[in-house]
Each structure stands twice: as structure tokens, then as C-alpha cells.
Amino acid sequence: MDSTFPRARKPHLGYNIEQVEEFLQVARRAYDGTARPGDPPLSAERIRLAAFAMQKRGYSTAHVDAALERLEDAFAAEERQVAARLHGTEAWLAEARTTAQVITNRLARPEGERFDRVSPLALGYRVREVDRFADKLTRYFRDGWPISIDDVRTVVFTTQRGGYRESQVDLVLDAVVDVMLAVR
């Protein structure tokens, strides 16, 4: 069972094997419609937010993350189909447009003021890097500029004292992924 993914090579840590396997079993049952009474509800968003402990010789983080991205895509497609059947495709797209408008309003703020800042003594995301990526997202929403879901999922910002509040930036990036998955 523990050969689902390659193991992390020394000296790197990998994801906890038992946690990953358990999560994948729950995901398989949820996707197949055979969820057990004790299984937590699973959605594309919950898959995106999944986190695992680290361990020596655990599963390769790159391989697990790639599998989780594919799983998230599959769940998002299923959620889109269910919503379209229940409420119609136009309702689904209207919700995505509303979310996109909220995002673009946030990104239209002046540079250096797009997100809350942490205390000057605390670390947050580097403002210049986040603003540069926010400009790319603005071009995506406004002009259809090409940017992939993977670009959004894998963006990494360095930190600085007094930077942008990480949780707020991450929530906006999650919302961007939601919109991108909705309009696929």
C-alpha cells in the first residue's frame, strides 16, 4: 500500500504516508459515491486545503501535490456538473463572474495597498512580489492574458517584515483557482 508514490530522497522530508493514504481512500469513496458514514465531506476546496505531516522517507511532496491537483480538478468538474443540473449553467457562471468581480476589485487597489499588512515586526508576503503577480491576474481577468491554474497554485512569495498578510493573499489566490476551475 505504501508504494502509491515515490518516497522522498534523503535528506528531504516527505508527506506522512498513512495520512496521504487515508485521505486518498476517503477521496476515492467520495468520488465513487461510496462514502462511509464517518467520512468527512470532500470538495475541490477541501482537497486544495489538504495538509499532511512531514516524515523521513515519506511520500514525495511533488508527486502527491500533482495528484491532489488532478483530484481537485476532477472534483471541481463534478461540482460544476451537479450545480449546472440543479441550478443551470448560467447560475454557475454568474456565481463565477461575481467572484471574479470581487477579485478584480481587490486587485484594482493601489500597489502596496491591495491587502492588509502585518505588523512591522512580523513577517508577511513581500509586497512587491505579490503586487507583480496581482498585475498578472488583473491582465488575466481584464484582457484574457494567459495564466494557468498551476501558475496560481504554485506561486511562491518570499517574506518581509511588514509585508502583506499571508492568509488574506492565500484566500484571494484560492478564489482565483475557484473561478478558473468554474470556467474551464
Side-chain angles (χ1 to χ4, degrees):
M1 176 180 248
D2 64 343
S3 63
T4 305
F5 299 102
R7 301 285 185 102
R9 297 190 184 270
K10 290 182 182 177
H12 302 288
L13 295 175
Y15 288 138
N16 180 286
I17 293 169
E18 287 181 31
Q19 292 175 359
V20 171
E21 289 294 337
E22 181 180 328
F23 185 85
L24 290 177
Q25 288 175 4
V26 169
R28 278 186 205 106
R29 291 192 299 263
Y31 193 76
D32 293 342
T34 59
R36 296 179 181 163
D39 286 348
L42 208 52
S43 65
E45 180 182 18
R46 186 152 194 281
I47 292 167
R48 184 179 328 118
L49 299 176
F52 308 105
M54 304 298 282
Q55 71 178 60
K56 288 181 183 179
R57 299 288 295 142
Y59 281 151
S60 161
T61 57
H63 287 87
V64 173
D65 288 346
L68 290 177
E69 289 169 7
R70 290 189 302 273
L71 190 60
E72 178 187 3
D73 290 347
F75 270 75
E78 179 67 24
E79 290 166 13
R80 184 174 52 246
Q81 289 175 355
V82 168
R85 280 194 305 267
L86 292 175
H87 308 290
T89 303
E90 189 53 41
W92 175 263
L93 292 175
E95 184 177 335
R97 279 192 295 272
T98 300
T99 303
Q101 187 61 55
V102 170
I103 293 167
T104 56
N105 291 346
R106 161 75 61 179
L107 300 180
R109 293 178 180 182
E111 287 186 10
E113 299 175 20
R114 290 180 172 144
F115 300 94
D116 292 341
R117 305 287 277 277
V118 295
S119 155
L121 301 176
L123 290 176
Y125 286 145
R126 185 167 301 280
V127 173
R128 188 174 303 133
E129 291 176 7
V130 173
D131 282 343
R132 195 172 310 127
F133 193 74
D135 290 340
K136 290 180 182 180
L137 293 174
T138 298
R139 288 192 299 272
Y140 166 78
F141 284 111
R142 186 186 61 215
D143 306 325
W145 194 265
I147 189 167
S148 72
I149 291 177
D150 286 340
D151 292 336
V152 179
R153 285 176 172 153
T154 60
V155 67
V156 176
F157 305 112
T158 56
T159 58
Q160 73 175 66
R161 294 201 185 281
Y164 281 143
R165 186 170 309 283
E166 294 177 13
S167 59
Q168 196 175 42
V169 173
D170 291 344
L171 283 172
V172 169
L173 293 176
D174 285 344
V176 169
V177 169
D178 285 341
V179 169
M180 293 174 97
L181 288 171
V183 298
R184 260 189 171 179

